[in-house]
Short mmCIF file of all heavy atoms in Angstrom, two decimals:
data_model
loop_
_atom_site.label_atom_id
_atom_site.label_comp_id
_atom_site.label_asym_id
_atom_site.label_seq_id
_atom_site.Cartn_x
_atom_site.Cartn_y
_atom_site.Cartn_z
N ALA A 482 28.00 17.00 -7.38
CA ALA A 482 27.06 18.02 -7.02
C ALA A 482 25.59 17.53 -7.04
O ALA A 482 24.65 18.30 -6.93
CB ALA A 482 27.16 19.23 -7.98
N SER A 483 25.42 16.21 -7.21
CA SER A 483 24.11 15.54 -7.13
C SER A 483 23.17 15.98 -8.27
O SER A 483 21.98 16.19 -8.00
CB SER A 483 23.46 15.74 -5.78
OG SER A 483 24.26 15.18 -4.73
N HIS A 484 23.73 16.21 -9.39
CA HIS A 484 22.85 16.54 -10.58
C HIS A 484 22.43 15.25 -11.27
O HIS A 484 21.30 15.15 -11.79
CB HIS A 484 23.60 17.43 -11.54
CG HIS A 484 23.89 18.82 -11.01
ND1 HIS A 484 22.90 19.65 -10.53
CD2 HIS A 484 25.01 19.49 -10.84
CE1 HIS A 484 23.43 20.80 -10.16
NE2 HIS A 484 24.72 20.74 -10.30
N HIS A 485 23.33 14.31 -11.40
CA HIS A 485 23.12 13.05 -12.13
C HIS A 485 23.79 11.90 -11.47
O HIS A 485 24.64 12.07 -10.57
CB HIS A 485 23.58 13.21 -13.56
CG HIS A 485 22.78 14.06 -14.44
ND1 HIS A 485 21.53 13.71 -14.91
CD2 HIS A 485 22.89 15.35 -14.89
CE1 HIS A 485 20.97 14.67 -15.63
NE2 HIS A 485 21.81 15.71 -15.61
N THR A 486 23.46 10.71 -11.91
CA THR A 486 24.18 9.49 -11.52
C THR A 486 25.05 9.01 -12.64
O THR A 486 25.04 9.48 -13.75
CB THR A 486 23.16 8.43 -11.13
OG1 THR A 486 22.38 8.04 -12.30
CG2 THR A 486 22.27 8.90 -10.00
N LEU A 487 25.86 7.97 -12.31
CA LEU A 487 26.86 7.51 -13.28
C LEU A 487 26.25 7.07 -14.60
O LEU A 487 26.70 7.48 -15.66
CB LEU A 487 27.65 6.38 -12.67
CG LEU A 487 28.79 5.84 -13.57
CD1 LEU A 487 29.86 6.92 -13.83
CD2 LEU A 487 29.41 4.59 -12.96
N VAL A 488 25.26 6.24 -14.59
CA VAL A 488 24.69 5.69 -15.86
C VAL A 488 24.09 6.82 -16.66
O VAL A 488 24.15 6.76 -17.92
CB VAL A 488 23.67 4.59 -15.57
CG1 VAL A 488 22.34 5.13 -14.94
CG2 VAL A 488 23.37 3.87 -16.88
N GLU A 489 23.54 7.83 -16.05
CA GLU A 489 22.99 8.95 -16.76
C GLU A 489 24.07 9.73 -17.58
O GLU A 489 23.81 10.28 -18.62
CB GLU A 489 22.26 9.91 -15.79
CG GLU A 489 21.04 9.25 -15.17
CD GLU A 489 20.44 10.07 -14.04
OE1 GLU A 489 21.07 10.98 -13.54
OE2 GLU A 489 19.27 9.78 -13.63
N ILE A 490 25.28 9.73 -17.03
CA ILE A 490 26.41 10.41 -17.66
C ILE A 490 27.03 9.48 -18.74
O ILE A 490 27.32 9.87 -19.87
CB ILE A 490 27.40 10.80 -16.62
CG1 ILE A 490 26.83 11.86 -15.67
CG2 ILE A 490 28.73 11.32 -17.29
CD1 ILE A 490 27.61 12.05 -14.40
N MET A 491 27.30 8.27 -18.35
CA MET A 491 27.93 7.31 -19.23
C MET A 491 27.12 7.06 -20.50
O MET A 491 27.62 7.04 -21.63
CB MET A 491 28.18 5.99 -18.52
CG MET A 491 29.07 6.11 -17.33
SD MET A 491 30.85 6.22 -17.76
CE MET A 491 31.26 4.50 -17.84
N ALA A 492 25.80 6.96 -20.35
CA ALA A 492 24.89 6.74 -21.51
C ALA A 492 24.92 7.94 -22.41
O ALA A 492 24.87 7.83 -23.63
CB ALA A 492 23.52 6.39 -21.04
N ALA A 493 24.94 9.16 -21.78
CA ALA A 493 24.95 10.39 -22.63
C ALA A 493 26.25 10.54 -23.37
O ALA A 493 26.24 11.14 -24.47
CB ALA A 493 24.72 11.57 -21.71
N ALA A 494 27.36 10.09 -22.78
CA ALA A 494 28.67 10.22 -23.44
C ALA A 494 28.94 9.19 -24.51
O ALA A 494 29.80 9.36 -25.37
CB ALA A 494 29.76 10.21 -22.40
N GLU A 495 28.20 8.09 -24.51
CA GLU A 495 28.46 6.97 -25.44
C GLU A 495 28.50 7.37 -26.87
O GLU A 495 29.35 6.94 -27.66
CB GLU A 495 27.48 5.83 -25.16
CG GLU A 495 27.78 4.61 -26.04
CD GLU A 495 26.78 3.54 -25.91
OE1 GLU A 495 25.59 3.82 -25.65
OE2 GLU A 495 27.12 2.36 -26.06
N PRO A 496 27.49 8.15 -27.35
CA PRO A 496 27.54 8.49 -28.81
C PRO A 496 28.72 9.33 -29.21
O PRO A 496 28.97 9.46 -30.44
CB PRO A 496 26.23 9.31 -28.96
CG PRO A 496 25.38 8.92 -27.80
CD PRO A 496 26.30 8.67 -26.67
N PHE A 497 29.52 9.81 -28.32
CA PHE A 497 30.65 10.63 -28.65
C PHE A 497 31.98 9.75 -28.61
O PHE A 497 33.05 10.26 -28.59
CB PHE A 497 30.84 11.76 -27.63
CG PHE A 497 29.69 12.74 -27.74
CD1 PHE A 497 28.55 12.53 -26.99
CD2 PHE A 497 29.76 13.84 -28.61
CE1 PHE A 497 27.46 13.48 -27.10
CE2 PHE A 497 28.66 14.71 -28.74
CZ PHE A 497 27.52 14.52 -27.96
N GLY A 498 31.77 8.40 -28.65
CA GLY A 498 32.90 7.49 -28.73
C GLY A 498 33.42 7.02 -27.41
O GLY A 498 34.52 6.41 -27.40
N CYS A 499 32.75 7.27 -26.33
CA CYS A 499 33.16 6.81 -25.01
C CYS A 499 32.48 5.49 -24.68
O CYS A 499 31.26 5.47 -24.46
CB CYS A 499 32.86 7.84 -23.95
SG CYS A 499 33.78 9.38 -24.04
N GLU A 500 33.23 4.42 -24.65
CA GLU A 500 32.62 3.09 -24.41
C GLU A 500 32.21 2.94 -22.97
O GLU A 500 32.82 3.60 -22.07
CB GLU A 500 33.62 2.01 -24.78
CG GLU A 500 34.88 2.03 -23.90
CD GLU A 500 35.88 0.89 -24.36
OE1 GLU A 500 36.10 0.76 -25.51
OE2 GLU A 500 36.36 0.18 -23.43
N TYR A 501 31.16 2.24 -22.73
CA TYR A 501 30.79 1.86 -21.38
C TYR A 501 29.98 0.53 -21.42
O TYR A 501 29.43 0.18 -22.46
CB TYR A 501 30.00 2.98 -20.72
CG TYR A 501 28.47 2.91 -20.86
CD1 TYR A 501 27.67 2.56 -19.75
CD2 TYR A 501 27.85 3.27 -22.02
CE1 TYR A 501 26.31 2.58 -19.89
CE2 TYR A 501 26.49 3.25 -22.14
CZ TYR A 501 25.70 2.88 -21.07
OH TYR A 501 24.34 2.88 -21.18
N ASP A 502 29.91 -0.13 -20.28
CA ASP A 502 29.21 -1.37 -20.16
C ASP A 502 27.80 -1.11 -19.63
O ASP A 502 27.66 -0.69 -18.52
CB ASP A 502 29.93 -2.29 -19.20
CG ASP A 502 29.32 -3.66 -19.05
OD1 ASP A 502 28.14 -3.86 -19.50
OD2 ASP A 502 29.92 -4.58 -18.44
N PRO A 503 26.76 -1.25 -20.46
CA PRO A 503 25.40 -0.87 -20.03
C PRO A 503 24.74 -1.99 -19.21
O PRO A 503 23.57 -2.28 -19.39
CB PRO A 503 24.69 -0.71 -21.37
CG PRO A 503 25.34 -1.68 -22.27
CD PRO A 503 26.80 -1.68 -21.88
N THR A 504 25.52 -2.55 -18.26
CA THR A 504 24.97 -3.55 -17.30
C THR A 504 25.48 -3.17 -15.94
O THR A 504 26.05 -2.15 -15.71
CB THR A 504 25.48 -4.97 -17.70
OG1 THR A 504 26.89 -5.05 -17.42
CG2 THR A 504 25.31 -5.24 -19.19
N GLN A 505 25.30 -4.07 -14.99
CA GLN A 505 25.85 -3.86 -13.71
C GLN A 505 27.36 -3.78 -13.69
O GLN A 505 27.99 -3.36 -12.76
CB GLN A 505 25.33 -4.94 -12.69
CG GLN A 505 23.92 -4.78 -12.30
CD GLN A 505 23.46 -5.73 -11.19
OE1 GLN A 505 24.16 -6.69 -10.90
NE2 GLN A 505 22.31 -5.44 -10.56
N GLY A 506 27.94 -4.26 -14.79
CA GLY A 506 29.42 -4.17 -14.93
C GLY A 506 29.90 -2.78 -15.26
O GLY A 506 31.07 -2.59 -15.48
N ILE A 507 29.01 -1.80 -15.31
CA ILE A 507 29.39 -0.40 -15.62
C ILE A 507 30.50 0.12 -14.74
O ILE A 507 31.34 0.92 -15.17
CB ILE A 507 28.09 0.50 -15.49
CG1 ILE A 507 28.39 1.91 -15.97
CG2 ILE A 507 27.57 0.54 -14.05
CD1 ILE A 507 27.18 2.79 -16.03
N TYR A 508 30.57 -0.36 -13.47
CA TYR A 508 31.55 0.17 -12.54
C TYR A 508 32.99 -0.37 -12.74
O TYR A 508 33.91 0.13 -12.17
CB TYR A 508 31.11 -0.16 -11.11
CG TYR A 508 29.76 0.52 -10.80
CD1 TYR A 508 28.57 -0.23 -10.86
CD2 TYR A 508 29.65 1.88 -10.55
CE1 TYR A 508 27.33 0.31 -10.63
CE2 TYR A 508 28.38 2.41 -10.34
CZ TYR A 508 27.28 1.66 -10.36
OH TYR A 508 26.02 2.28 -10.14
N ARG A 509 33.07 -1.39 -13.56
CA ARG A 509 34.36 -2.07 -13.73
C ARG A 509 35.19 -1.51 -14.90
O ARG A 509 36.38 -1.88 -15.02
CB ARG A 509 34.16 -3.58 -14.04
CG ARG A 509 33.50 -4.29 -12.83
CD ARG A 509 33.01 -5.68 -13.21
NE ARG A 509 32.38 -6.34 -12.10
CZ ARG A 509 32.97 -7.27 -11.31
NH1 ARG A 509 34.22 -7.54 -11.54
NH2 ARG A 509 32.31 -7.80 -10.32
N ASN A 510 34.65 -0.63 -15.71
CA ASN A 510 35.38 -0.05 -16.87
C ASN A 510 34.99 1.38 -17.04
O ASN A 510 33.98 1.66 -17.71
CB ASN A 510 35.13 -0.89 -18.14
CG ASN A 510 35.86 -0.31 -19.32
OD1 ASN A 510 36.82 0.48 -19.18
ND2 ASN A 510 35.45 -0.76 -20.49
N ILE A 511 35.72 2.28 -16.44
CA ILE A 511 35.45 3.70 -16.54
C ILE A 511 36.76 4.37 -16.92
O ILE A 511 37.53 4.77 -16.03
CB ILE A 511 34.84 4.30 -15.21
CG1 ILE A 511 33.59 3.53 -14.79
CG2 ILE A 511 34.56 5.81 -15.38
CD1 ILE A 511 33.03 3.89 -13.43
N LYS A 512 37.01 4.45 -18.19
CA LYS A 512 38.30 5.07 -18.63
C LYS A 512 38.35 6.51 -18.22
O LYS A 512 37.28 7.18 -18.25
CB LYS A 512 38.44 4.94 -20.13
CG LYS A 512 38.61 3.50 -20.63
CD LYS A 512 38.77 3.48 -22.16
CE LYS A 512 39.00 2.09 -22.67
NZ LYS A 512 39.16 2.03 -24.14
N PRO A 513 39.50 7.02 -17.90
CA PRO A 513 40.78 6.40 -17.93
C PRO A 513 41.26 5.79 -16.56
O PRO A 513 42.44 5.49 -16.34
CB PRO A 513 41.73 7.56 -18.24
CG PRO A 513 41.12 8.70 -17.54
CD PRO A 513 39.63 8.45 -17.65
N LEU A 514 40.32 5.49 -15.67
CA LEU A 514 40.67 4.97 -14.36
C LEU A 514 41.07 3.51 -14.49
O LEU A 514 40.50 2.73 -15.27
CB LEU A 514 39.48 5.06 -13.40
CG LEU A 514 39.00 6.51 -13.15
CD1 LEU A 514 37.81 6.53 -12.14
CD2 LEU A 514 40.13 7.39 -12.57
N THR A 515 42.07 3.13 -13.68
CA THR A 515 42.48 1.72 -13.64
C THR A 515 41.59 0.90 -12.77
O THR A 515 40.80 1.43 -11.98
CB THR A 515 43.93 1.65 -13.11
OG1 THR A 515 43.93 2.07 -11.72
CG2 THR A 515 44.87 2.52 -13.88
N GLU A 516 41.72 -0.41 -12.88
CA GLU A 516 40.88 -1.25 -11.97
C GLU A 516 41.18 -0.94 -10.52
O GLU A 516 40.23 -0.94 -9.68
CB GLU A 516 41.14 -2.74 -12.26
CG GLU A 516 40.30 -3.65 -11.43
CD GLU A 516 40.45 -5.12 -11.75
OE1 GLU A 516 40.93 -5.44 -12.82
OE2 GLU A 516 40.10 -5.97 -10.89
N ASP A 517 42.43 -0.75 -10.17
CA ASP A 517 42.77 -0.50 -8.75
C ASP A 517 42.14 0.84 -8.32
O ASP A 517 41.66 0.92 -7.16
CB ASP A 517 44.30 -0.41 -8.61
CG ASP A 517 44.99 -1.79 -8.65
OD1 ASP A 517 44.24 -2.77 -8.52
OD2 ASP A 517 46.23 -1.82 -8.79
N GLU A 518 42.17 1.85 -9.17
CA GLU A 518 41.56 3.09 -8.81
C GLU A 518 40.02 2.92 -8.65
O GLU A 518 39.46 3.52 -7.73
CB GLU A 518 41.81 4.15 -9.90
CG GLU A 518 43.25 4.64 -9.91
CD GLU A 518 43.53 5.53 -11.07
OE1 GLU A 518 43.07 5.29 -12.21
OE2 GLU A 518 44.24 6.61 -10.86
N LEU A 519 39.42 2.12 -9.51
CA LEU A 519 37.98 1.90 -9.35
C LEU A 519 37.68 1.07 -8.10
O LEU A 519 36.69 1.38 -7.37
CB LEU A 519 37.47 1.20 -10.63
CG LEU A 519 37.48 2.05 -11.88
CD1 LEU A 519 37.19 1.21 -13.12
CD2 LEU A 519 36.44 3.19 -11.75
N ARG A 520 38.43 0.04 -7.86
CA ARG A 520 38.15 -0.80 -6.67
C ARG A 520 38.25 0.03 -5.41
O ARG A 520 37.57 -0.29 -4.41
CB ARG A 520 39.11 -1.99 -6.63
CG ARG A 520 38.75 -3.08 -7.61
CD ARG A 520 39.55 -4.33 -7.39
NE ARG A 520 39.10 -5.43 -8.24
CZ ARG A 520 38.04 -6.16 -8.06
NH1 ARG A 520 37.29 -5.96 -6.98
NH2 ARG A 520 37.70 -7.07 -8.93
N ALA A 521 39.13 1.03 -5.39
CA ALA A 521 39.26 1.82 -4.19
C ALA A 521 38.02 2.63 -3.83
O ALA A 521 37.84 3.09 -2.71
CB ALA A 521 40.40 2.83 -4.41
N CYS A 522 37.10 2.68 -4.83
CA CYS A 522 35.79 3.36 -4.56
C CYS A 522 34.78 2.47 -3.90
O CYS A 522 33.75 2.94 -3.41
CB CYS A 522 35.20 3.86 -5.89
SG CYS A 522 36.26 5.03 -6.76
N GLY A 523 35.06 1.18 -3.86
CA GLY A 523 34.10 0.23 -3.25
C GLY A 523 34.48 -0.18 -1.84
O GLY A 523 35.63 -0.09 -1.45
N LYS A 524 33.52 -0.64 -1.11
CA LYS A 524 33.79 -1.12 0.22
C LYS A 524 34.67 -2.35 0.19
O LYS A 524 34.43 -3.33 -0.51
CB LYS A 524 32.48 -1.47 0.92
CG LYS A 524 32.66 -1.88 2.37
CD LYS A 524 31.29 -2.18 3.04
CE LYS A 524 31.51 -2.56 4.50
NZ LYS A 524 30.17 -2.88 5.14
N ASP A 525 35.80 -2.25 0.94
CA ASP A 525 36.75 -3.39 0.99
C ASP A 525 37.26 -3.76 -0.39
O ASP A 525 37.58 -4.91 -0.63
CB ASP A 525 36.15 -4.61 1.69
CG ASP A 525 35.71 -4.31 3.13
OD1 ASP A 525 36.37 -3.48 3.78
OD2 ASP A 525 34.70 -4.87 3.55
N GLY A 526 37.32 -2.78 -1.29
CA GLY A 526 37.91 -3.03 -2.60
C GLY A 526 36.98 -3.84 -3.52
O GLY A 526 37.44 -4.41 -4.53
N ARG A 527 35.67 -3.86 -3.26
CA ARG A 527 34.72 -4.58 -4.05
C ARG A 527 33.91 -3.65 -4.95
O ARG A 527 33.56 -2.55 -4.52
CB ARG A 527 33.80 -5.38 -3.17
CG ARG A 527 34.40 -6.45 -2.28
CD ARG A 527 33.33 -7.38 -1.73
NE ARG A 527 32.36 -6.67 -0.91
CZ ARG A 527 32.43 -6.54 0.40
NH1 ARG A 527 33.44 -7.09 1.09
NH2 ARG A 527 31.52 -5.87 1.05
N PHE A 528 33.59 -4.17 -6.10
CA PHE A 528 32.65 -3.49 -6.94
C PHE A 528 31.25 -3.74 -6.43
O PHE A 528 31.01 -4.73 -5.71
CB PHE A 528 32.73 -3.96 -8.39
CG PHE A 528 33.97 -3.54 -9.14
CD1 PHE A 528 34.98 -4.49 -9.45
CD2 PHE A 528 34.15 -2.17 -9.47
CE1 PHE A 528 36.10 -4.06 -10.13
CE2 PHE A 528 35.29 -1.79 -10.12
CZ PHE A 528 36.28 -2.75 -10.48
N PRO A 529 30.28 -2.87 -6.74
CA PRO A 529 28.89 -3.14 -6.33
C PRO A 529 28.43 -4.54 -6.74
O PRO A 529 28.62 -4.91 -7.92
CB PRO A 529 28.08 -2.04 -7.02
CG PRO A 529 29.04 -0.95 -7.15
CD PRO A 529 30.37 -1.60 -7.44
N GLY A 530 27.89 -5.30 -5.82
CA GLY A 530 27.37 -6.64 -6.12
C GLY A 530 28.47 -7.68 -6.07
O GLY A 530 28.14 -8.89 -6.27
N GLU A 531 29.70 -7.35 -5.86
CA GLU A 531 30.78 -8.35 -5.87
C GLU A 531 30.91 -8.88 -4.45
O GLU A 531 31.10 -8.18 -3.49
CB GLU A 531 32.09 -7.67 -6.31
CG GLU A 531 33.20 -8.68 -6.45
CD GLU A 531 34.50 -7.94 -7.02
OE1 GLU A 531 34.71 -6.74 -6.65
OE2 GLU A 531 35.23 -8.56 -7.79
N SER A 532 30.88 -10.24 -4.37
CA SER A 532 30.88 -10.85 -3.03
C SER A 532 32.25 -10.83 -2.44
O SER A 532 32.44 -10.68 -1.24
CB SER A 532 30.39 -12.32 -3.11
OG SER A 532 31.21 -13.06 -4.05
N THR A 533 33.34 -11.00 -3.27
CA THR A 533 34.67 -11.07 -2.74
C THR A 533 35.60 -10.32 -3.79
O THR A 533 35.46 -10.55 -4.94
CB THR A 533 35.18 -12.48 -2.58
OG1 THR A 533 34.30 -13.19 -1.78
CG2 THR A 533 36.59 -12.53 -1.96
N PRO A 534 36.50 -9.50 -3.30
CA PRO A 534 37.44 -8.80 -4.26
C PRO A 534 38.22 -9.83 -5.05
O PRO A 534 38.49 -10.93 -4.59
CB PRO A 534 38.36 -8.03 -3.33
CG PRO A 534 37.59 -7.85 -2.09
CD PRO A 534 36.76 -9.10 -1.92
#
Side-chain angles (χ1 to χ4, degrees):
S483 299
H484 293 304
H485 287 285
T486 63
L487 182 65
V488 71
E489 295 171 344
I490 295 164
M491 298 283 273
E495 183 185 30
F497 296 89
C499 292
E500 65 180 47
Y501 92 106
D502 183 347
T504 72
Q505 287 188 344
I507 188 173
Y508 300 102
R509 297 169 180 259
N510 180 16
I511 305 173
K512 291 182 178 180
L514 300 180
T515 65
E516 180 176 342
D517 286 345
E518 287 174 319
L519 290 170
R520 284 191 175 279
C522 300
K524 183 178 180 181
D525 300 325
R527 297 193 300 264
F528 289 111
E531 187 176 33
S532 58
T533 306

